[in-house]
């Protein structure tokens, strides 16, 4: 006879779904950067065939706009989800031991 899943099993399934979804967003953000902002293995700023042409300030601004902000947002979201899963798991474990 099959037993109904325990709450711990249900949480585990939910945790797996949440972290997998978050990591998929990080991977897609990386793919988007590669697809839209690189040529070969190198970053290519938009509208600049010669990466040596723009001033360093323009390059920094473009790097933030094209790559850094997008990746940081995805990574921060994944870290937040991981943190919340750990926090929730700890809270459940603590409540069971009381």
């Amino acid at each position: 006879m099959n037993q109904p899943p325990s709450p711990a099993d249900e949480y585990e399934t939910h945790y797996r779904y949440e972290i997998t979804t978050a990591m998929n967003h990080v991977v897609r953000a990386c793919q988007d950067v590669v697809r839209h902002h690189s040529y070969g293995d190198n970053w290519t700023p938009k509208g600049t065939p010669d990466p040596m042409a723009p001033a360093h300030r323009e390059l920094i601004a473009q790097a933030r706009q094209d790559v850094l902000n997008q990746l940081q947002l995805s990574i921060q979201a994944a870290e937040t989800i991981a943190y919340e899963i750990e926090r929730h798991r700890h809270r459940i474990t603590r409540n069971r031991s009381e």
Side-chain angles (χ1 to χ4, degrees):
M1 198 181 263
N2 288 339
Q3 294 181 338
S6 71
D9 292 337
E10 290 179 18
Y11 286 133
E12 182 64 29
T13 300
H14 181 72
Y15 297 154
R16 287 173 177 262
Y17 172 78
E18 289 293 322
I19 196 63
T20 300
T21 300
M23 292 310 301
N24 287 340
H25 284 288
V26 172
V27 169
R28 286 187 195 111
C30 292
Q31 290 170 335
D32 183 62
V33 166
V34 169
R35 186 172 34 258
H36 297 290
H37 305 291
S38 69
Y39 180 77
D41 290 337
N42 298 304
W43 169 58
T44 54
K46 284 183 182 174
T48 308
D50 179 7
M52 298 307 289
H56 73 279
R57 287 185 186 104
E58 293 168 345
L59 282 176
I60 291 170
Q62 193 74 45
R64 286 181 174 136
Q65 180 181 332
D66 290 352
V67 180
L68 300 175
N69 292 342
Q70 182 178 355
L71 294 181
Q72 284 177 341
L73 181 62
S74 296
I75 291 168
Q76 287 172 345
E79 281 288 352
T80 299
I81 289 168
Y83 171 77
E84 288 300 322
I85 289 170
E86 291 168 335
R87 196 172 124 216
H88 185 257
R89 188 58 151 183
H90 178 72
R91 191 170 53 240
I92 290 171
T93 304
R94 190 180 65 230
N95 288 342
R96 285 185 185 157
S97 66
E98 291 178 352

